[in-house]
Amino acid sequence: MKDDTKVAVQNESLVAFDTLVDMLRQRAEISPAKLAYEFINNDGTIDSCTYAELDARACAIGRVLQRHVARDRRALLLYSTNQDFLSAFFGCLYAGIVAVPMPPLKKNRRINRFRAVLCDTQASIVLTTAKEAATGNIQEASQEDKVAVIATDTIAAQKAYTWEVPPADGDSIAFLQYTSGSTGMPKGVINRHDNILCNLQMIADACKIDESSRTVSWLPYYHDMGLIGAMLVPMYVGTPCRLMSPEAFVKDPAVWLKHISDSKATYSVGPSFAYDLCVRAISESELKQLDLSSWKIAFNGAEPVKAEAMERFAEKFAQCGFRKETFYPCYGMAEAALIISGGPPNRLPVINMLDASALQHRHVRIATASDASTTVKQVVGCGHPVNGAEIVIVDPDTRRRCPDNHVGEIWVSAPSIAAGYWNQAELTHETFHARLDGSERNFLRTGDLGYLRDNELFWTGRLKDLLIIRGRNIYPQDVESVAESSHPMLRSNGAAAFPMEGEDGSGERLAVACEIERKYMRKLDATAVVKAIRKSIVDEFEISPGAIVLVKPGGLPRTSSGKLRRSECSQLFAQQRFDALHVDQGQELEAALAQIWREVLGTDTADRQDNFFDLGGDSLLAAQLVSRLRQLLDVEVPLREVFAQPSLAALSQVVSRAVASSQPEMERADRTKPLPASLAQRRLWFLEQLGGLGSAYHIAGAVLLRGELDVQALQASLD
């Protein structure tokens, strides 16, 4: 989407550049010896690079590329270090070649994505280091796909003297930013020099970043926030940037904060999970070594901004000088170059407390203190539209503006919007050239849901990720938050909610996969964890998951930036390819229900798709079925549900919801045998009674028991 609208420069210290090539060339000419980047090595040592040194390396690489690759061809960049990447990235720009940043290939990981992008771009060359070029993956790919590989770290600096400035302007393509693929196959976003420079200016203005700022980042170069927000913004304003690898951060989050402390950094970036990881991993002794008082802007974006994560981080690191006002919740995406909304700096995050039930129907209703029975959802504001951007909330079906206090799709118009998707004209038109009903202006359809309140943008979820369960709109992020906090054995930010097809033809159902904390792997109580997950979801949403999957730490598929790939979770589950520690699909409950079903109907078979009434059931037998459910499973199922959900599979879901939502202690009118006094003792006693009666009923007893039980009736049924 081409938009000639220019953004008014608010920061007078900024220099105007025509291209990213001009940006580095002018920095090297005006301040050749000025520190540009510092690179933190794995051993803790730091290598530094001036603007002149980076310019010389880019010139040398650019000259070699000019001799071997035609202008406007694509080059895939695969690097393990930021230093080698930056030289190659600007080397491509200096040669007039379209750079395509890619995650480095590690063993057998990411090879499929690499090949998909290689095919999509028809790249003629792969840039990497000599060490990485020797790995089996790159050698195999280069031979099979007939693509040349150049190790840029072997190019001599003398080559720079014969470099020729490429004929580029703002409309020229600078690089392709392949999206992380959180909602589907990665797509190549076409970034021109002008829309990138425009967004750099937007970020600098919104966050008040200038030459006095200092930056530390661990975000990967192949992610838009890492490349644009962390690497290019410092060069744009002329301030130093200290870079470390994502692997180093994950291994020891304290290193990130230590470098912020040591360098007196004012600006750094991270998604919610990064702040949560610091809370969990950094010890009290390490806290005493940190001074975070210089930190002015703590970007929080790239995934849902969680109020709880900010609260926990601010509370823990307050003794280090960190202020809650430092958090800078923001909203952006690769298709807009990066930032869309944020700020102003130095203010407390804006949090709306919403009626969760109303939100499911896309209505915004602020919960009040008098709403004691209302389920409340916290939604964090992502700031105002940045200078030059317009945000509208649109009904995705009618393409009309939503009324106030309604949730709709977020549409954006800004001069920094990218040109479209590489080689996808139809999708580009649909996504980048959307128009409001009766309007001629183009907007970017973000695919995100949200609302505006006092010109503040609030993100509520993904349009394609919405789960429609029994006619209700359920946000997977809400389910995930409830699930992961239901039991201490579950990892924070380690849950995925996704749809599964109901085998009974009842439509879409909810499935949940959760990662187990590593320290609990050897003493996992799967039954207790599944029970806690199911009960918490039923209590919150009145929906019983059709399946609960427990996986190892890191077992959920994620994008390169750490976002959940829910669509891939759904595929893995459907194809039974989850590397699962435990899978619960209610089979134990269904087995117990089938036994009761057979007893009431007087039949030897009970297929999941059988209809209760087709097998001879009538209103009297339906009443008996409900009575036996009350006696044996201690659960109340309305008689009407048997008529509404007459198949065994469908009725088992009704029973599952009733079981999970029942109270711990239910009053019973008929007790034929005394039981121990406490509920815990009763459960233990019940398991002892069931010893040897079969694993299905054993597990059912552990999961389903609520209060006292008609023991004689149960034993008669099992006998």
Side-chain angles (χ1 to χ4, degrees), residues 92-321:
C92 286
L93 301 183
Y94 277 27
I97 292 171
V98 178
V100 186
M102 289 288 296
L105 299 182
K106 296 185 177 181
K107 296 183 180 179
N108 294 322
R109 295 171 56 202
R110 301 170 177 160
I111 189 68
N112 291 335
R113 186 173 190 269
F114 165 75
R115 283 185 165 151
V117 173
L118 185 64
C119 178
D120 190 48
T121 60
Q122 292 296 294
S124 57
I125 194 169
V126 171
L127 303 184
T128 186
T129 63
K131 180 179 179 181
E132 290 168 294
T135 62
N137 278 333
I138 293 182
Q139 286 183 340
E140 179 184 349
S142 63
Q143 292 170 3
E144 292 187 9
D145 299 303
K146 296 181 174 58
V147 60
V149 178
I150 292 181
T152 55
D153 58 336
T154 64
I155 296 175
Q158 299 91 293
K159 299 288 184 181
Y161 297 111
T162 56
W163 169 69
E164 299 175 3
V165 180
D169 57 24
D171 285 331
S172 301
I173 300 176
F175 62 96
L176 301 180
Q177 180 77 58
Y178 270 79
T179 63
S180 55
S182 57
T183 58
M185 284 299 293
K187 301 176 288 290
V189 177
I190 303 172
N191 280 303
R192 305 179 308 254
H193 288 270
D194 56 1
N195 76 272
I196 292 298
L197 288 168
C198 180
N199 206 262
L200 295 176
Q201 182 175 303
M202 288 175 165
I203 295 171
D205 283 344
C207 302
K208 305 297 186 289
I209 302 173
D210 56 27
E211 288 185 339
S212 66
S213 304
R214 293 292 182 273
T215 305
V216 173
S217 175
W218 56 267
L219 293 178
Y221 63 77
Y222 45 83
H223 185 259
D224 52 339
M225 186 177 279
L227 175 56
I228 300 169
M231 293 185 175
L232 296 184
V233 165
M235 182 183 294
Y236 184 77
V237 301
T239 186
C241 174
R242 184 174 291 191
L243 300 170
M244 59 186 287
S245 70
E247 292 79 9
F249 164 72
V250 173
K251 182 179 179 181
D252 186 2
V255 175
W256 176 39
L257 300 189
K258 186 176 186 304
H259 281 286
I260 291 176
S261 176
D262 293 347
S263 65
K264 303 300 179 186
T266 61
Y267 163 63
S268 195
V269 186
S272 284
F273 89 85
Y275 299 107
D276 251 348
L277 187 59
C278 289
V279 171
R280 299 201 316 268
I282 296 178
S283 66
E284 290 297 320
S285 60
E286 290 172 320
L287 286 177
K288 298 176 181 179
Q289 303 173 26
L290 298 176
D291 178 5
L292 303 179
S293 59
S294 65
W295 202 352
K296 306 302 180 187
I297 297 288
F299 261 80
N300 194 345
E303 66 177 23
V305 179
K306 297 182 178 180
E308 303 91 338
M310 291 190 292
E311 190 66 41
R312 287 190 291 264
F313 188 92
E315 181 179 353
K316 178 162 185 173
F317 294 96
Q319 60 181 287
C320 306

Side-chain angles (χ1 to χ4, degrees), residues 38 63 101 116 177 236 320 336 338-339 353 405 465 482-483 490 507 530 540 562-563 569 589 612 620 647 668 688:
E38 292 179 307
R63 176 54 182 157
Q177 180 77 58
Y236 184 77
C320 306
L338 187 56
I339 198 169
M353 310 297 287
N405 297 319
D465 277 349
V482 168
L490 298 173
V530 165
E540 186 74 21
K563 295 179 183 177
C569 287
L589 172 61
F612 183 82
L620 180 59
S647 74
R668 297 292 305 247
E688 292 172 349

Side-chain angles (χ1 to χ4, degrees), residues 377-560:
K377 174 179 171 60
Q378 293 188 101
V379 183
V380 179
C382 295
H384 307 148
V386 294
N387 184 31
E390 179 186 359
I391 296 175
V392 293
I393 306 300
V394 180
D395 184 313
D397 299 320
T398 66
R399 299 201 172 203
R400 295 177 180 174
R401 290 177 186 259
C402 289
D404 291 342
N405 297 319
H406 277 69
V407 171
E409 185 180 8
I410 302 169
W411 286 21
V412 181
S413 176
S416 66
I417 300 296
Y421 293 123
W422 182 259
N423 280 341
Q424 298 199 47
E426 184 176 344
L427 186 59
T428 292
H429 181 77
E430 176 186 341
T431 305
F432 290 81
H433 299 275
R435 291 182 177 179
L436 292 167
D437 185 32
S439 171
E440 295 296 318
R441 185 174 185 180
N442 288 339
F443 283 88
L444 168 70
R445 293 190 64 170
T446 67
D448 288 326
L449 294 170
Y451 64 93
L452 287 168
R453 187 177 181 85
D454 298 329
N455 203 35
E456 181 94 11
L457 177 66
F458 293 84
W459 182 95
T460 61
R462 287 287 302 173
L463 183 62
K464 292 183 179 179
D465 277 349
L466 262 183
L467 301 169
I468 303 176
I469 311 294
R470 304 207 311 272
R472 293 169 55 197
N473 295 323
I474 305 294
Y475 293 103
Q477 297 85 4
D478 295 347
V479 177
E480 290 155 5
S481 178
V482 168
E484 68 192 26
S485 60
S486 66
H487 197 280
M489 288 188 177
L490 298 173
R491 297 187 80 191
S492 178
N493 297 296
F498 52 92
M500 61 178 283
E501 189 67 28
E503 294 183 19
D504 58 347
S506 59
E508 192 170 271
R509 291 172 57 199
L510 172 66
V512 180
C514 297
E515 295 180 355
I516 299 297
E517 281 280 12
R518 191 173 302 280
K519 63 182 179 180
Y520 294 116
M521 287 288 290
R522 293 186 178 181
K523 49 183 177 180
L524 171 63
D525 186 347
T527 299
V529 173
V530 165
K531 177 182 174 182
I533 295 171
R534 189 177 298 279
K535 186 178 187 308
S536 66
I537 293 174
V538 169
D539 287 347
E540 186 74 21
F541 304 100
E542 298 182 347
I543 290 174
S544 180
I548 297 175
V549 184
L550 305 183
V551 299
K552 299 176 182 177
L556 296 179
R558 297 179 183 272
T559 68
S560 56

